[in-house]
Amino acid sequence: MINLLDLTYAELAEFVSGLGENAYRTSQIWQWLWRKRARSIEEMTNISKTTRTRLAEAAHIVWPEVVERQESKDGTRKLLLQLHDGALVETVLIPSHSREGRLRLTQCLSCQVGCAMGCTFCSTGALGFQRNMTMSEILGQVLIAREEVKDDLHDPLLRNLVFMGMGEPLLNLKHMLRSLETLNNDQGLGFSPRRITVSTCGIAEGLQTLGDSGLAFLAVSLHAPNQELRARIMPKAARWPLEDMMRVLKTYPLKTRERVTFEYLLLGGVNDTLQHAKELARLLSNVKSKLNIIVYNPADGAEYQAPAPHTVQAFVDFLVERHITVIIRKSKGQDIDAACGQLAAKSRG
């Protein structure tokens, strides 16, 4: 049976037509799915009972199930979700405030069950790869988040989406692109591409496709300023030579005032020296970019440690002096293992 949340708008139109229904039904059903967050076909009350019966015979609506909720002392929320086959993934809601002091949320989305990249500093990588998530599973996280916070679509709390959760987005390119297309639909979830960021370790296949789509901003998990170190801490990502990746990113399609965001996780004693900063400045000099510095969040059994605060400041100061745009990204949710690199889809019970 078809999960209606797995259909793009065009596919839903074709499905509705195949049932012998008028074309305007597509828009009605679509809004029930993505704006009114209907969990069953029976809830679609502006559609005749006969049509609802016909729909229910061929399709259903399946959301992921929330099996555990955790809230950090800083207000970050982590949801453990169970998918239709019992697989577990996590999504995180990160609070911030507007200039006017109003609460805003950014959601960190997962796109795979586990991850095949095996980065040595990441808890998700230690899980290994199980499977790709479908569009209904990826976007089901957004539906659940809006339900959790009782979001008002006229003035939503949930403003930004970052694909920085479990999995490598470009290794699930088909379902990622379908999800981004649906996110951008004004009759549905209605997220502007400027409020969506897709983070990749650096996968050659699919990078140009993502850029040409214009459906999201790009963030690249760099974490090392040279090929040798990248191969040591990110062995699978490093199969694409750093020099080749930077050459491609130099011509990556960008909108006006847009830059490629680079993520750099500072690991104590590993990639945080002034020599590393010097190499990093040189690496970024020919790419229109900005740099997010993330201080490592130790996880259970981790082989790395966080750098000292003075080391972080010296690293940042060196880059700023060389006109690199640097943002120190404040980690949130560390006490509930919801910070960068800590997602492992495990239950406390």
Side-chain angles (χ1 to χ4, degrees):
M1 186 173 282
I2 293 173
N3 184 354
L4 291 177
L5 297 177
D6 275 320
L7 301 179
T8 64
Y9 191 89
E11 290 168 344
L12 181 62
E14 184 178 348
F15 177 73
V16 168
S17 175
L19 293 177
E21 293 292 330
N22 292 321
Y24 71 85
R25 291 292 187 205
T26 303
S27 179
Q28 289 181 315
I29 296 169
W30 186 261
Q31 290 187 46
W32 275 108
L33 294 174
W34 299 112
R35 296 191 72 79
K36 300 178 183 180
R37 303 193 288 271
R39 286 180 176 259
S40 71
I41 291 169
E42 193 57 34
E43 293 177 44
M44 302 179 182
T45 50
N46 63 344
I47 297 174
S48 71
K49 187 169 182 60
T50 301
T51 299
R52 278 181 277 157
T53 299
R54 191 177 297 130
L55 270 172
E57 289 172 350
H60 59 172
I61 302 168
V62 181
W63 285 27
E65 178 188 355
V66 180
V67 295
E68 186 172 280
R69 296 170 175 85
Q70 292 177 261
E71 184 164 349
S72 167
K73 58 187 178 184
D74 62 27
T76 299
R77 305 187 207 181
K78 184 171 74 170
L79 305 178
L80 179 65
L81 307 178
Q82 183 170 286
L83 308 181
H84 70 92
D85 60 354
L88 297 174
V89 296
E90 291 178 332
T91 186
V92 179
L93 292 171
I94 306 164
S96 62
H97 290 85
S98 68
R99 292 179 180 177
E100 297 77 27
R102 302 192 66 180
L103 176 64
R104 296 292 182 237
L105 296 173
T106 294
Q107 186 173 14
C108 182
L109 298 169
S110 294
C111 62
Q112 293 181 316
V113 181
C115 184
M117 299 308 294
C119 297
T120 58
F121 46 78
C122 180
S123 297
T124 308
L127 297 175
F129 174 73
Q130 295 182 41
R131 66 172 177 86
N132 284 326
M133 292 170 65
T134 64
M135 185 174 85
S136 64
E137 294 169 338
I138 293 171
L139 299 187
Q141 297 169 84
V142 181
L143 293 174
I144 285 172
R146 282 187 162 166
E147 191 85 350
E148 287 280 316
V149 302
K150 304 294 187 286
D151 225 347
D152 178 357
L153 294 185
H154 298 293
D155 185 22
L157 291 174
L158 182 57
R159 290 299 186 94
N160 299 292
L161 304 175
V162 292
F163 285 87
M164 296 180 181
M166 299 173 65
E168 164 53 58
L170 295 189
L171 291 181
N172 189 11
L173 187 62
K174 174 185 173 182
H175 294 298
M176 276 297 306
L177 291 175
R178 291 160 59 83
S179 298
L180 292 172
E181 178 187 333
T182 298
L183 283 168
N184 278 245
N185 188 295
D186 290 337
Q187 294 185 62
L189 291 168
F191 281 89
S192 161
R194 292 188 174 275
R195 293 196 174 275
I196 306 170
T197 299
V198 173
S199 177
T200 175
C201 290
I203 305 296
E205 297 80 7
L207 190 63
Q208 190 66 40
T209 302
L210 177 64
D212 290 342
S213 77
L215 294 173
F217 282 157
L218 173 69
V220 178
S221 296
L222 188 58
H223 308 319
N226 60 64
Q227 179 65 19
E228 180 183 2
L229 181 54
R230 187 168 162 86
R232 178 154 64 89
I233 65 175
M234 303 174 70
K236 293 186 179 179
R239 291 173 183 174
W240 190 18
L242 187 55
E243 183 179 338
D244 293 347
M245 183 178 79
M246 298 303 294
R247 187 181 303 116
V248 170
L249 291 173
K250 186 177 179 180
T251 59
Y252 185 82
L254 296 172
K255 299 183 179 74
T256 305
R257 296 189 301 277
E258 185 181 350
R259 306 182 193 183
V260 174
T261 297
F262 287 95
E263 307 279 353
Y264 194 93
L265 182 66
L266 278 177
L267 303 167
V270 176
N271 63 353
D272 61 348
T273 68
L274 291 183
Q275 177 59 33
H276 292 128
K278 182 178 181 180
E279 293 179 64
L280 184 58
R282 186 165 55 246
L283 190 69
L284 300 182
S285 62
N286 292 319
V287 179
K288 189 178 179 183
S289 63
K290 64 180 179 180
L291 181 68
N292 279 350
I293 294 291
I294 308 159
V295 178
Y296 177 63
N297 305 299
D300 292 341
E303 60 180 288
Y304 300 111
Q305 60 186 6
H310 70 271
T311 301
V312 175
Q313 195 59 56
F315 193 92
V316 170
D317 289 345
F318 184 94
L319 294 170
V320 171
E321 288 170 4
R322 280 144 187 84
H323 310 292
I324 304 294
T325 300
V326 181
I327 300 168
I328 299 179
R329 206 171 84 197
K330 185 178 179 181
S331 291
K332 294 186 177 182
Q334 289 177 260
D335 56 320
I336 57 169
D337 292 336
C340 181
Q342 291 186 319
L343 300 188
K346 59 186 178 182
S347 171
R348 287 177 295 177

